Amino acid sequence: MLSKLVNKYNIAGPRYTSYPTVPYWNNETFSLEKWKSSLAKSFKESNLKEGISLYIHLPFCESLCTFCGCNKRITKQHSVESPYINAVLKEWHLYLELFDEKPIIKEMHLGGGTPTFFSPKNLTQLINGILKDAKLAENYEFSFEGHPNNTTREHLQALYNVGFRRVSYGVQDYNETVQKAIHRIQPFENVKRATELAREIGYTSVGHDIIFGLPFQTLEHVKETILKTKELFPDRLAFYSYAHVPWIKGNGQRGFKDTDLPSAALKRAQYELGKELLAEVGYHEIGMDHFALTTDSLYQSMKNGSLHRNFMGYTASKTQAMVGLGVSSISDSWYGFAQNVKGIEAYYHLINEDVIPVYRGHILNEEDLIIRKHILNLMCQFKTSWTKDYLYFEEIPEVLIRLNEMEVDGLLNINSNSIQVTKKGQPFVRNICMAFDVLLQRKQPDVQLFSMTV
């Protein structure tokens, strides 16, 4: 039965880290001035109440992982570190000019690229430069992505000293054949060392990122990776479906052929096996593709209804305003999105001109804001309703028609003014969200823009 559902619903679709999704942003009605106004409004409404989030993109990597679709620059020249940090700090000061009081930072995340490409000294300079003109929320959470091969005790200690308590390590898969195909040779011993070092220093949440659906990956490979993961018992896990998007310019997904990838049915079986093995030792599924122990803040946020989803993925708490710094970073004011230029040279040029380096974005209209709320509800709580008038929109009847067949297939229950995703339907939550995505329904893309949903 599962294989029939996989075959039926395995179509290209968004991951819904935003709504509207990036390909449907209206750049014609967007401008830098509108974005600045949108963020200033959001900051004024929410800073004292909940603080803001920061995402800092650190794009440099010493070698190319061929499964990666992120924005990165491959180099072994570490002289690039200081100019980049100086530019990020200058961008932060351009944002500070929009605010009428000191920002209160609730969350900060360092992503990449490889954040641990940067030296501990330079990372300390970056964070201290950010915090110099900010306050910290009472329960702030700082996290970073670490590469197990090059995350040192010095990296972990330096970031711990400036407030970081969570680290996530990219594991992907422990099988050598798979690692060679994705150009990420990473022995278990390196992950073990990095995990144990973080705990020894005092990190309260250590996460591992694992990917299923990789080239040459079998059920046995997934089982082996999960069993080794259980030995280290990370506090949370991201168990991602590999997003095969080779058409995106500049990504590295050329180390293998499409025929080397598992079929949709095998890919789903890999996930179900992994989920079963994780449940046996106490991991709880959180939203889509995430798992956590009961002691982790991600699990606690799911239980108390505060789980949130944004461009950083699932987070334990929501802030209305999120500022993205660095090349390609995306900012979110709730009322609008803005993305930075993707090229480092273009980024430096705009920063030197004292211009916030945004090159595209979207200002949400009333309909966008309503649908955004429904999609967030579905992604974080597996349910949504329009019992309150302000959550109703004109196309709800059409949405329900689109969902009828999914109800027949047992993926959800439709009530008079709400829907509830079933356990059976949770792996297909992206498909359910697509029924609410009126922009996608009104204009289906002519070419493939998104990875497959299952």
Side-chain angles (χ1 to χ4, degrees):
M1 181 60 180
L2 178 63
S3 61
K4 283 184 180 177
L5 290 173
V6 168
N7 289 336
K8 182 174 182 177
Y9 290 106
N10 188 36
I11 59 175
R15 290 188 176 231
Y16 291 112
T17 49
S18 76
Y19 182 85
T21 57
V22 175
Y24 288 89
W25 286 1
N26 188 339
N27 288 297
E28 291 177 12
T29 59
F30 176 84
S31 69
L32 178 57
E33 287 312 309
K34 285 182 182 177
W35 161 243
K36 287 157 72 172
S37 174
S38 157
L39 182 62
K41 173 188 175 185
S42 184
F43 180 85
K44 197 164 191 174
E45 290 174 353
S46 64
N47 183 50
L48 291 177
K49 186 170 62 177
E50 60 188 21
I52 69 168
S53 296
L54 281 184
Y55 170 75
I56 305 175
H57 192 75
L58 302 173
F60 302 110
C61 300
E62 287 200 347
S63 65
L64 179 67
C65 301
T66 58
F67 67 90
C68 179
C70 300
N71 182 284
K72 65 266 177 187
R73 176 71 63 90
I74 308 302
T75 180
K76 292 186 184 294
Q77 302 301 315
H78 285 263
S79 57
V80 299
E81 293 181 34
S82 287
Y84 189 80
I85 283 173
N86 291 336
V88 168
L89 290 175
K90 188 168 182 185
E91 183 187 1
W92 174 235
H93 283 97
L94 291 174
Y95 272 112
L96 289 174
E97 291 173 12
L98 305 179
F99 307 149
D100 55 4
E101 62 191 11
K102 273 195 174 186
I104 300 169
I105 299 177
K106 178 71 180 290
E107 286 188 325
M108 188 191 309
H109 183 72
L110 307 183
T114 306
T116 46
F117 173 96
F118 287 75
S119 72
K121 180 183 175 185
N122 282 333
L123 288 171
T124 300
Q125 181 197 338
L126 170 65
I127 304 307
N128 283 338
I130 295 286
L131 297 181
K132 182 165 63 76
D133 298 296
K135 299 177 182 176
L136 291 176
E138 190 177 340
N139 297 310
Y140 69 90
E141 187 172 274
F142 291 178
S143 59
F144 75 96
E145 297 165 13
H147 192 318
N149 287 357
N150 68 13
T151 300
T152 63
R153 177 185 289 275
E154 290 73 25
H155 279 115
L156 288 160
Q157 189 66 60
L159 287 169
Y160 183 89
N161 291 347
V162 290
F164 284 74
R165 296 294 181 269
R166 191 166 75 76
V167 56
S168 61
Y169 292 120
V171 172
Q172 325 325 339
D173 188 284
Y174 285 115
N175 180 266
E176 234 177 273
T177 302
V178 176
Q179 288 187 357
K180 282 177 183 172
I182 63 175
H183 200 236
R184 179 71 174 241
I185 307 301
Q186 185 170 269
F188 173 73
E189 291 69 29
N190 291 8
V191 181
K192 184 174 188 288
R193 175 193 57 80
T195 298
E196 290 175 350
L197 270 176
R199 287 185 168 141
E200 187 184 314
I201 286 167
Y203 282 76
T204 53
S205 178
V206 179
H208 288 183
D209 292 353
I210 298 170
I211 299 179
F212 63 95
L214 288 167
F216 305 110
Q217 198 177 41
T218 65
L219 278 173
E220 193 56 40
H221 295 155
V222 171
K223 183 178 180 181
E224 177 194 356
T225 294
I226 297 288
L227 291 176
K228 285 186 172 179
T229 299
K230 283 159 66 174
E231 283 183 45
L232 303 181
F233 220 45
D235 301 275
R236 68 172 71 169
L237 282 161
F239 188 31
Y240 289 120
S241 163
Y242 165 58
H244 189 54
V245 287
W247 56 86
I248 294 179
K249 184 181 178 184
N251 75 21
Q253 303 184 60
R254 298 295 178 195
F256 44 86
K257 303 186 294 292
D258 286 4
T259 51
D260 298 328
L261 296 168
S263 67
L266 175 54
K267 194 175 177 185
R268 196 66 224 168
Q270 290 174 344
Y271 183 76
E272 295 299 327
L273 173 65
K275 183 169 77 168
E276 184 183 323
L277 292 170
L278 292 170
E280 284 174 8
V281 289
Y283 287 96
H284 295 264
E285 194 168 15
I286 313 288
M288 181 183 77
D289 300 343
H290 283 66
F291 295 81
L293 299 174
T294 55
T295 49
D296 193 82
S297 61
L298 203 62
Y299 173 81
Q300 291 157 9
S301 69
M302 181 192 73
K303 295 302 284 183
N304 66 29
S306 64
L307 186 68
H308 184 55
R309 186 169 174 81
N310 57 26
F311 289 103
M312 296 188 283
Y314 284 104
T315 63
S317 61
K318 170 190 170 292
T319 63
Q320 185 169 300
M322 183 180 84
V323 175
L325 302 174
V327 290
S328 78
S329 286
I330 299 178
S331 299
D332 177 0
S333 69
W334 183 258
Y335 304 112
F337 302 115
Q339 183 171 22
N340 281 355
V341 293
K342 295 184 177 183
I344 292 174
E345 290 76 18
Y347 176 74
Y348 287 164
H349 171 73
L350 290 168
I351 293 292
N352 288 335
E353 296 290 317
D354 293 327
V355 176
I356 291 175
V358 161
Y359 86 105
R360 65 173 174 178
H362 180 88
I363 302 299
L364 283 76
N365 61 31
E366 190 176 340
E367 179 188 78
D368 293 339
L369 287 164
I370 294 170
I371 294 171
R372 180 180 192 185
K373 181 65 176 168
H374 286 299
I375 286 177
L376 264 176
N377 288 343
L378 288 165
M379 294 299 289
C380 296
Q381 301 168 27
F382 292 123
K383 63 183 179 181
T384 195
S385 76
W386 45 97
T387 50
K388 297 185 172 76
D389 287 345
Y390 63 83
L391 287 174
Y392 186 86
F393 60 100
E394 277 187 17
E395 293 189 37
I396 283 282
E398 286 85 350
V399 170
L400 296 179
I401 290 169
R402 290 193 284 269
L403 291 173
N404 276 338
E405 195 170 348
M406 295 187 196
E407 185 177 41
V408 171
D409 287 335
L411 306 188
L412 53 91
N413 296 315
I414 300 175
N415 304 307
S416 58
N417 51 18
S418 67
I419 67 166
Q420 173 82 49
V421 181
T422 62
K423 276 279 184 194
K424 185 179 176 182
Q426 288 181 12
F428 306 95
V429 67
R430 289 167 69 186
N431 302 76
I432 294 167
C433 289
M434 286 166 72
F436 280 82
D437 188 342
V438 297
L439 295 175
L440 178 66
Q441 299 298 331
R442 289 169 192 160
K443 188 184 177 185
Q444 293 287 335
D446 298 324
V447 294
Q448 189 171 344
L449 299 173
F450 306 109
S451 61
M452 304 304 278
T453 56
V454 179

